[in-house]
Amino acid sequence: MEWDLNIVIKISYVLYGILGLFLLIQLYYILFVYSKLAAYKVKSYKDSEHQPPVSVIICAYNEEENLKQFLPSVLEQDYPQFEVIVVNDCSQDDTKWVLKEFSAQYPHLRVVDIKENIRLKNSKKFALTLGIKAAKYEHLIMTDADCQPNSSQWLREMAGAYSEGKEIVLGYSPYFRRAGFLNKLIRFETTHTAMSYLSYALKRNAYMGVGRNLSYLKSLFFRGKGFNAHMHIKSGDDDLFVNHNANKTNVNIAIHPDAHVYSVPKDSWRSYYKQKGRHAGASVLYKRQHKRMLARQLLSALLFYIMLIICLSIYPNLWFVGAGMFVFRYICQLFVFVPIYKKLAVKDLIWWLLILDVFYYFYICINGIFNRKKTQKTWK
């Protein structure tokens, strides 16, 4: 009996030791990666002397209603010299006529029409490439048809971030706040993603950007051969382009509130599941170091929760050890996340952190496992 008790004690040491290891990995990301963004002093670039002419590029596929609602906020930006290029990718609704009406009102709007070709399955990358080729200016700013700049100073903030040597500017694009748990999860996931890619950009190790609010140079696009390296998959026009073209010195971020671009969130679990599946499919082509980096972050959090459940189930008398680790991690999260959530305009989600954090890691992992190598069939 005494021998059995010793075995039980040793196993408890091993299990709680593994739990502690996962906690340490998580603390590294929280305190040494995300803290970069927490400590970052948000800059405004709208008064920068560097305000080059810019080409805004929007790809549209059956976006009639979104263009009516959101395109004016892009066309009416307070900026000295810019053009807006909308690529109409074989839309079957009245997108063409909506754009024709806007063109009569706004002379700086240019439309690129892609004709239907049954032998060519167009993708957003193809449409975006045509828009970039049509652009008159070197500085490109990308967004989507269902996006709305948070202010008339959006272009000034993004273009002003091009200090010497910068070729990519990463913006931030939150989703509109709606009722319901799904909206909270979508906004939490978007915030978590932004927190990660912005923090790594500040660490001079940028690995992705979001096409709803992203800028880069036209010369960089062609020097890097566009999307050739990943043209065989439909997603990745934003994150994979940044992943393959960013280096330690050519990336800046623009996250002043005036630079935010809001987007329409998915309104069903099915559509959100498909969206995350597309993103998971692109991540397999990240640089090896970035895949390892993101895998460690994701798996350490997931395994922390799994080991916590195992430890509390097998050794309920030692509940205070597991609970202590959980509470300590939560306190560290609050210390770092609160200033970040303020910067990223999602302060309301702090109250949901405990629930959303658990749900996020299990949902994202399950989604990634089932969708990582699934063939993508949708336009974007």
Side-chain angles (χ1 to χ4, degrees):
M1 180 66 71
E2 184 178 351
W3 181 84
D4 290 341
L5 180 60
N6 288 334
I7 293 295
V8 170
I9 293 174
K10 289 179 180 179
I11 293 175
S12 70
Y13 287 159
V14 171
L15 292 179
Y16 275 102
I18 295 173
L19 178 63
L21 175 63
F22 293 142
L23 174 62
L24 288 176
I25 296 173
Q26 280 288 285
L27 291 179
Y28 165 76
Y29 285 98
I30 295 170
L31 299 178
F32 295 98
V33 178
Y34 303 148
S35 61
K36 291 289 184 180
L37 183 59
Y40 175 72
K41 186 177 180 180
V42 176
K43 302 174 184 177
S44 175
Y45 295 104
K46 66 182 178 182
D47 296 323
S48 171
E49 294 181 359
H50 185 67
Q51 299 286 345
V54 300
S55 296
V56 180
I57 302 176
I58 300 172
C59 297
Y61 173 68
N62 292 341
E63 298 281 7
E64 170 191 354
E65 295 302 323
N66 283 328
L67 289 170
K68 288 179 181 178
Q69 183 175 357
F70 301 120
L71 186 56
S73 63
V74 176
L75 291 165
E76 296 170 6
Q77 284 289 299
D78 175 20
Y79 198 76
Q81 187 176 0
F82 72 104
E83 64 174 354
V84 177
I85 299 173
V86 178
V87 183
N88 180 20
D89 192 4
C90 308
S91 295
Q92 298 172 347
D93 61 1
D94 286 336
T95 292
K96 177 179 178 179
W97 305 110
V98 170
L99 291 173
K100 188 173 182 179
E101 291 180 7
F102 277 126
S103 296
Q105 185 179 356
Y106 299 95
H108 56 297
L109 171 62
R110 299 171 58 203
V111 178
V112 176
D113 282 306
I114 300 178
K115 306 299 181 182
E116 186 71 50
N117 187 329
I118 59 175
R119 288 182 293 179
L120 178 63
K121 294 294 184 181
N122 293 342
S123 68
K124 185 180 179 182
K125 290 177 183 175
F126 178 75
L128 188 54
T129 299
L130 292 186
I132 292 173
K133 287 183 176 180
K136 293 190 296 186
Y137 304 126
E138 166 73 350
H139 293 75
L140 311 174
I141 299 180
M142 268 59 67
T143 189
D144 287 342
D146 61 350
C147 293
Q148 181 179 48
N150 196 39
S151 79
S152 63
Q153 306 300 305
W154 168 53
L155 295 184
R156 290 185 180 272
E157 291 289 350
M158 294 294 289
Y162 276 101
S163 56
E164 185 176 355
K166 303 303 180 185
E167 298 177 300
I168 300 173
V169 174
L170 306 180
Y172 167 60
S173 180
Y175 284 102
F176 288 113
R177 184 176 177 179
R178 301 283 189 264
F181 182 76
L182 176 60
N183 181 260
K184 290 181 175 61
L185 177 63
I186 290 174
R187 292 167 59 230
F188 179 84
E189 182 270 328
T190 301
T191 303
H192 198 282
T193 300
M195 180 170 63
S196 181
Y197 77 73
L198 291 171
S199 294
Y200 273 104
L202 292 172
K203 285 172 64 65
R204 297 161 66 89
N205 189 20
Y207 70 89
M208 69 161 285
V210 174
R212 301 188 303 273
N213 193 8
L214 174 65
S215 180
Y216 48 80
L217 300 184
K218 186 175 181 178
S219 57
L220 176 68
F221 180 82
F222 288 110
R223 190 169 71 247
K225 298 182 180 179
F227 306 124
N228 282 0
H230 44 89
M231 202 70 176
H232 59 288
I233 65 172
K234 288 187 178 292
S235 60
D237 56 279
D238 47 8
D239 56 344
L240 285 178
F241 179 83
V242 174
N243 192 266
H244 294 174
N245 290 278
N247 59 46
K248 292 182 178 181
T249 61
N250 72 341
V251 179
N252 199 2
I253 69 173
I255 59 170
H256 187 275
D258 285 343
H260 294 182
V261 173
Y262 280 82
S263 184
V264 177
K266 300 298 181 182
D267 57 5
S268 71
W269 286 95
R270 183 182 179 86
S271 58
Y272 179 57
Y273 179 83
K274 289 182 177 180
Q275 181 187 54
K276 299 318 299 174
R278 291 194 299 270
H279 296 169
S283 65
V284 299
L285 296 180
Y286 281 11
K287 292 177 182 176
R288 191 171 301 174
Q289 60 164 318
H290 294 140
K291 286 193 288 187
R292 290 196 299 262
M293 175 183 82
L294 295 173
R296 281 195 299 267
Q297 194 281 326
L298 183 64
L299 290 177
S300 64
L302 181 68
L303 293 175
F304 172 80
Y305 283 124
I306 292 175
M307 284 303 302
L308 180 62
I309 294 171
I310 292 174
C311 289
L312 293 178
S313 299
I314 298 178
Y315 300 101
N317 292 336
L318 297 175
W319 65 269
F320 55 90
V321 179
M325 292 185 184
F326 176 82
V327 171
F328 182 68
R329 176 177 179 268
Y330 178 61
I331 292 174
C332 291
Q333 284 181 309
L334 288 178
F335 179 75
V336 174
F337 288 9
V338 167
I340 292 177
Y341 279 31
K342 289 180 179 178
K343 291 181 175 73
L344 302 184
V346 288
K347 291 188 294 183
D348 61 296
L349 295 182
I350 282 293
W351 304 104
W352 289 83
L353 178 59
L354 282 176
I355 297 174
L356 290 171
D357 194 65
V358 176
F359 199 92
Y360 164 78
Y361 283 110
F362 281 92
Y363 184 84
I364 293 300
C365 275
I366 292 173
N367 188 296
I369 290 172
F370 284 101
N371 287 291
R372 192 169 176 82
K373 295 186 178 181
K374 184 180 290 186
T375 302
Q376 301 168 46
K377 300 179 181 180
T378 53
W379 180 77
K380 68 172 183 174

